[in-house]
Amino acid sequence: MKKLLTALAAFAAFSAQAETLNIAATPVPHAEILEVVKPLLAKEGVELKVRVFTDYVQPNLQVQQKNLDANFFQHQPYLDEFNASRKTELVSVIGVHVEPFGAYSSKHKNLSELPQGATVAIPNDATNGGRALLLLQQAGVIKLKPEAGILATPKDIAENPKAIKVRELEAATLPRVLSQVDAALINTNYALEAKLNPTQDALAIEGSDSPYVNLLVARPDNKDSDAMQKLAKALNSAEVKQFIEEKYKGAVVPAF
């Protein structure tokens, strides 16, 4: 009986000390990776609660407004643009993985087959839209102005030999319109959700040296907290690296 009471007292003490982290994430691969992390954090006395979002705006707003502690879905160029345009002050805690960005089509087997006047859909946010245009340039479909960088827009297209029409749409909708356009440039998380295999289905894809590392993002007031640092360490653990490599087989690449 005494041992039982001691065990219960220890459990109660652990429960009282346990911290909770509420994290926003997009479904694939971010929420899946966080599920792997949950038991690792539990051993460290941190309860991880994951709230799944399907857009790229609310996860940042919810963290900025302190409704959630952190999020896991975006890369640095997107975070920088979001902070600048929304007057938020979110910060990177640690980099976790790269999702090589790809071009897909249900009508053509190669981007060289795009017909004159083809319609190509790209994300409508500044950073991913620019990323899409850079990939189209890399594939030889268009040529951008020399000064155009990662925030390139369709107005920066200098050469367009096939007179392609660029449609800017919300990133999450791109897999759903794939059959309605000649090609679509799709973020890997949305491609995976739509059961597309980036390493097999993409007509063009970024290399593993892509600078767009996906980040754990928090606020200046909590990024250095003990619980947040435990989460950061877990996200760069051997267990997570093995999961990413075995689960996604090159569609998602560890950045550590």
Side-chain angles (χ1 to χ4, degrees), residues 9-32:
F11 177 77
F14 173 80
S15 298
Q17 294 171 4
E19 298 179 76
T20 300
L21 283 177
N22 293 285
I23 311 297
T26 44
V28 182
H30 306 87
E32 293 179 343

Side-chain angles (χ1 to χ4, degrees), residues 63-64 88-92 217-225:
V63 174
Q64 177 69 24
T88 49
E89 298 178 339
L90 302 174
V91 294
S92 168
V217 170
R219 300 182 303 274
D221 69 283
N222 71 350
K223 72 180 182 68
D224 295 318
S225 71

Side-chain angles (χ1 to χ4, degrees), residues 8-242:
L8 289 173
F11 177 77
F14 173 80
S15 298
Q17 294 171 4
E19 298 179 76
T20 300
L21 283 177
N22 293 285
I23 311 297
T26 44
V28 182
H30 306 87
E32 293 179 343
I33 293 172
L34 289 172
E35 289 299 322
V36 175
V37 166
K38 276 186 179 181
L40 302 179
L41 283 184
K43 293 178 182 178
E44 297 285 332
V46 178
E47 181 184 4
L48 186 64
K49 293 185 177 180
V50 181
R51 184 174 172 188
V52 175
F53 289 80
T54 58
D55 73 291
Y56 287 166
V57 176
Q58 283 303 314
N60 275 340
L61 295 180
Q62 293 295 317
V63 174
Q64 177 69 24
Q65 295 163 8
K66 299 188 177 182
N67 296 323
L68 296 171
D69 298 306
N71 63 52
F72 179 35
F73 76 96
Q74 66 194 310
H75 49 63
Q76 191 68 52
Y78 181 86
L79 176 60
D80 291 341
E81 192 276 331
F82 192 96
N83 278 334
S85 64
R86 300 276 184 154
K87 310 302 181 187
T88 49
E89 298 178 339
L90 302 174
V91 294
S92 168
V93 179
I94 199 167
V96 181
H97 68 269
V98 173
E99 300 171 15
F101 198 79
Y104 301 85
S105 176
S106 61
K107 299 179 179 179
H108 311 290
K109 294 184 178 180
N110 195 297
L111 289 177
S112 63
E113 297 177 4
L114 290 176
Q116 285 293 126
T119 299
V120 177
I122 68 171
N124 65 359
D125 63 272
T127 51
N128 286 306
R131 188 178 179 185
L133 292 171
L134 287 170
L135 184 57
L136 286 173
Q137 175 174 255
Q138 179 184 317
V141 177
I142 59 171
K143 185 173 285 189
L144 298 168
K145 296 175 183 176
E147 65 272 17
I150 61 172
L151 298 181
T153 73
K155 294 180 180 179
D156 293 310
I157 297 175
E159 296 180 24
N160 186 2
K162 291 194 174 183
I164 67 166
K165 301 179 180 68
V166 177
R167 288 181 61 188
E168 297 174 278
L169 302 171
E170 185 180 347
T173 69
L174 291 171
R176 297 199 292 271
V177 304
L178 189 56
S179 63
Q180 303 167 31
V181 297
D182 290 283
L185 284 290
I186 304 174
N187 294 78
T188 291
N189 60 309
Y190 292 131
L192 291 172
E193 286 178 47
K195 308 303 181 186
L196 292 168
N197 185 326
T199 58
Q200 295 180 14
D201 299 330
L203 306 187
I205 194 166
E206 292 173 334
S208 59
D209 59 346
S210 166
Y212 296 91
V213 177
N214 279 223
L215 311 166
L216 173 66
V217 170
R219 300 182 303 274
D221 69 283
N222 71 350
K223 72 180 182 68
D224 295 318
S225 71
D226 185 55
M228 194 69 67
Q229 289 303 307
K230 286 177 179 177
L231 173 56
K233 182 179 178 181
L235 283 169
N236 274 192
S237 66
E239 290 90 341
V240 167
K241 184 174 185 179
Q242 182 179 357

